[in-house]
């Protein structure tokens, strides 16, 4: 198995976040559902490890979400 990276995780979460936002869920619910999906896909311990070891996590996460679905991020 290839080691999960921050960018892989955030691209996956970003896609799912946008899908959930398009369904009408708010930011928090969409984010929680997206990370739940990532945990199912990659395993909860892998997701936790990437989050714990990552620097600039918030900036990177917001940047990816803003690129993938700016209509839900930039207001």
């Amino acid at each position: 198995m290839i080691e999960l990276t921050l960018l892989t995780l955030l691209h996956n979460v970003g896609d799912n976040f946008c899908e959930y936002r398009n369904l009408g869920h708010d930011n928090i619910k969409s984010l929680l559902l997206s990370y739940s999906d990532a945990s199912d896909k990659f395993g909860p311990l892998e997701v936790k490890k990437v989050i714990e070891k990552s620097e600039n996590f918030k900036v990177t996460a917001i940047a990816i979400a803003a690129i993938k679905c700016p209509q839900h991020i930039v207001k």
Side-chain angles (χ1 to χ4, degrees), residues 15-73:
D15 288 340
N16 291 352
F17 174 83
C18 295
E19 289 177 21
Y20 286 122
R21 288 293 287 132
N22 289 337
L23 291 173
H25 298 301
D26 66 20
N27 284 339
I28 300 295
K29 188 171 187 176
S30 296
L31 187 61
L32 291 171
L33 289 168
S34 298
Y35 277 100
S36 178
D37 291 346
S39 291
D40 287 343
K41 182 173 182 175
F42 301 111
L45 295 179
E46 285 299 312
V47 170
K48 181 180 178 180
K49 181 172 66 173
V50 168
I51 292 169
E52 287 177 335
K53 291 183 177 183
S54 297
E55 295 183 26
N56 299 318
F57 185 86
K58 183 178 179 180
V59 172
T60 307
I62 292 170
I64 288 176
I67 290 167
K68 290 186 172 286
C69 51
Q71 72 276 19
H72 296 302
I73 304 301

